[in-house]
Amino acid sequence: MERVYNFSAGPSMLPLPVLEKAQKELVCYGDSGMSVMEMSHRSKVFEEIIQGAEKLLRELMNIPDNYKVMFLQGGGSTQFAMIPMNLFKNSKKADFIKTGQWAKKAAEEASKFGTANIVASSEDKTYSYIPVLDKSKFSPDADYFYITYNNTIYGTRYTELPDTGNVPLVADISSNIMSEVMDVSKFGLLFAGAQKNVGPAGVTIVIMRDDLIGAPIDGTPTMLTYETHAKADSLYNTPPCFAIYVAKLVFEWIKENGGVKGIQAMNEEKAGILYDFLDASRIFKGTVVYKDRSLMNVPFVTDSEELNAKFIKEAAANGFVNLKGHRTVGGMRASIYNAMPIEGVSKLVEFMKKFETENK
Ligand SMILES: *Cc1c(COP(=O)(O)O)cnc(C)c1O
């Protein structure tokens, strides 16, 4: 069978050259005589892999020296708990912008350890926009201010970051890490599960300002303490070695493709092709307000459930898979992460045009 265009929200496509390189090196990595899956995480060979991955990530994201990079486990969801457990140092209060399920979950988890204050929400319109912020609602004494930078399920993204003054800004970048240029110095902490833009599931990247590490709340388990992993350079216990190795291959691929800047230009082109078509279409339409549209996740609908189902079925039969929308939005969603080639999006649009002609 041929490879399909996979529009899955996650885990999602990996660049083909990365898969091919991993395949070539799968059985025997370099001159180690073994697979990365088989080697000690304390070996010299693996040390080069994990250090190489960090070096590339720092270079590609332009991470300042006073930030620590950690490769952790437990997915994005474990960060929802780790963040309050480690950052609730003073007021034990954090501000949240509720832009969807992921922000909601992060706030619910934080409320187990302190106060989660919702400063704005877009729940009234099924999270189809990024709410306008009223700074007078921010807590000046909050231990952190939390956003989901790109909302995977609803297809919105911030084009302007909230100004939180001295309160550290924490962002979930699980679905837009390395998809667009970000100024890391604006954040106290950034985190991303790998399986959308960076590699296979299993590794979670945390980028954290030095001065925020340490002093977790009483009773925080060792494994959920950032300091544990920061001090041990992510080798306190066995890390997800193979996932880190594939992430390194992805970083190399990003570098070869013009770095994050080059990838962003490609992502803007891809999103442009799809949104331009949706704006002009007679049967399909996007669900998100224009200015907040995500570059990564593009939800769209027709005006009939029947037609949606027909489209999803016929698209799959033509090699465009995983286009079914999230159950809370319905319709369709095309996730067009870094690894989705421009050709995949233009072919999808061609197919949508054909479907439109046949179903008007
Ligand atoms: C997928 C996703 C998560 C959850 O990640 P897990 O690794 O499955 O825990 C969290 N936040 C965002 C924005 C996501 O897209």
Side-chain angles (χ1 to χ4, degrees):
M1 174 159 183
E2 263 184 68
R3 278 176 64 79
V4 292
Y5 290 112
N6 179 6
F7 293 90
S8 169
S12 41
M13 280 184 86
L14 283 166
L16 187 58
V18 166
L19 292 175
E20 285 170 341
K21 182 147 194 217
Q23 179 183 45
K24 223 167 106 207
E25 297 180 330
L26 187 77
V27 173
C28 187
Y29 177 80
D31 52 14
S32 71
M34 62 183 82
S35 173
V36 175
M37 286 184 271
E38 302 171 300
M39 61 181 58
S40 165
H41 59 293
R42 310 261 175 226
S43 64
K44 185 99 187 81
V45 204
F46 185 71
E47 210 169 80
E48 278 165 20
I49 292 172
I50 192 167
Q51 286 171 2
E54 176 172 343
K55 189 164 171 280
L56 275 164
L57 182 70
R58 284 188 174 277
E59 181 188 326
L60 290 164
M61 286 186 73
N62 197 16
I63 301 173
D65 288 343
N66 64 322
Y67 283 72
K68 189 78 192 169
V69 170
M70 289 170 260
F71 297 105
L72 307 183
Q73 302 193 57
S77 301
T78 298
Q79 293 309 307
F80 299 162
M82 251 176 114
I83 291 163
M85 290 174 101
N86 287 269
L87 294 192
F88 275 167
K89 297 180 198 296
N90 301 302
S91 65
K92 299 198 177 354
K93 196 193 303 175
D95 284 348
F96 289 81
I97 307 180
K98 198 170 157 194
T99 51
Q101 307 284 343
W102 297 122
K104 187 168 165 241
K105 282 187 176 165
E108 280 166 5
E109 207 66 3
S111 70
K112 294 182 180 171
F113 307 100
T115 307
N117 176 39
I118 309 289
V119 297
S121 166
S122 51
E123 194 173 9
D124 61 336
K125 289 183 181 158
T126 328
Y127 302 114
S128 57
Y129 66 102
I130 298 287
V132 175
L133 302 178
D134 171 1
K135 270 181 89 170
S136 72
K137 293 201 172 142
F138 295 11
S139 317
D141 62 338
D143 283 326
Y144 64 94
F145 190 108
Y146 186 99
I147 61 166
T148 312
Y149 203 139
N150 180 78
N151 294 283
T152 326
I153 297 175
Y154 303 96
T156 61
R157 90 175 208 279
Y158 290 82
T159 47
E160 200 183 320
L161 295 171
D163 175 10
T164 64
N166 288 328
V167 175
L169 181 61
V170 171
D172 177 353
I173 54 169
S174 291
S175 52
N176 67 336
I177 183 172
M178 300 172 106
S179 70
E180 58 181 305
V181 175
M182 289 176 194
D183 181 354
V184 174
S185 72
K186 288 210 162 88
F187 299 88
L189 189 154
L190 289 163
F191 73 91
Q195 67 272 23
K196 280 128 193 178
N197 256 330
V198 166
V203 60
T204 304
I205 292 170
V206 174
I207 302 163
M208 186 173 186
R209 216 175 62 208
D210 281 348
D211 61 292
L212 297 172
I213 299 171
I217 59 172
D218 282 351
T220 302
T222 309
M223 279 294 288
L224 298 183
T225 300
Y226 288 120
E227 195 172 30
T228 304
H229 304 286
K231 276 191 173 158
D233 291 322
S234 305
L235 291 167
Y236 170 76
N237 73 324
T238 318
C241 300
F242 193 75
I244 293 169
Y245 155 74
V246 179
K248 177 171 177 273
L249 297 182
V250 171
F251 300 159
E252 286 165 0
W253 174 82
I254 291 174
K255 192 171 170 176
E256 283 159 20
N257 282 278
V260 175
K261 224 174 157 179
I263 292 284
Q264 176 173 351
M266 259 193 299
N267 288 333
E268 282 166 352
E269 185 177 343
K270 286 185 304 193
I273 293 170
L274 191 46
Y275 286 124
D276 285 350
F277 169 71
L278 290 172
D279 290 344
S281 171
R282 274 163 295 128
I283 65 166
F284 295 105
K285 67 169 198 297
T287 59
V288 168
V289 305
Y290 184 87
K291 73 172 181 50
D292 301 326
R293 288 168 163 182
S294 167
L295 291 176
M296 298 282 98
N297 311 96
V298 183
F300 57 95
V301 293
T302 70
D303 56 18
S304 117
E305 277 307 320
E306 246 180 303
L307 201 55
N308 290 344
K310 184 169 186 244
F311 173 75
I312 291 160
K313 195 169 161 219
E314 288 183 16
N318 282 274
F320 307 101
V321 310
N322 288 321
L323 281 165
K324 193 170 170 22
H326 190 267
R327 60 186 187 283
T328 57
V329 186
M332 284 69 72
R333 171 178 49 171
S335 293
I336 49 174
Y337 297 117
N338 290 350
M340 173 60 69
I342 291 174
E343 181 201 67
V345 178
S346 48
K347 284 194 173 162
L348 171 68
V349 165
E350 248 171 69
F351 175 76
M352 289 167 80
K353 280 182 183 157
K354 185 167 156 272
F355 185 87
E356 182 170 284
T357 324
E358 291 164 1
N359 293 276
K360 52 181 178 190

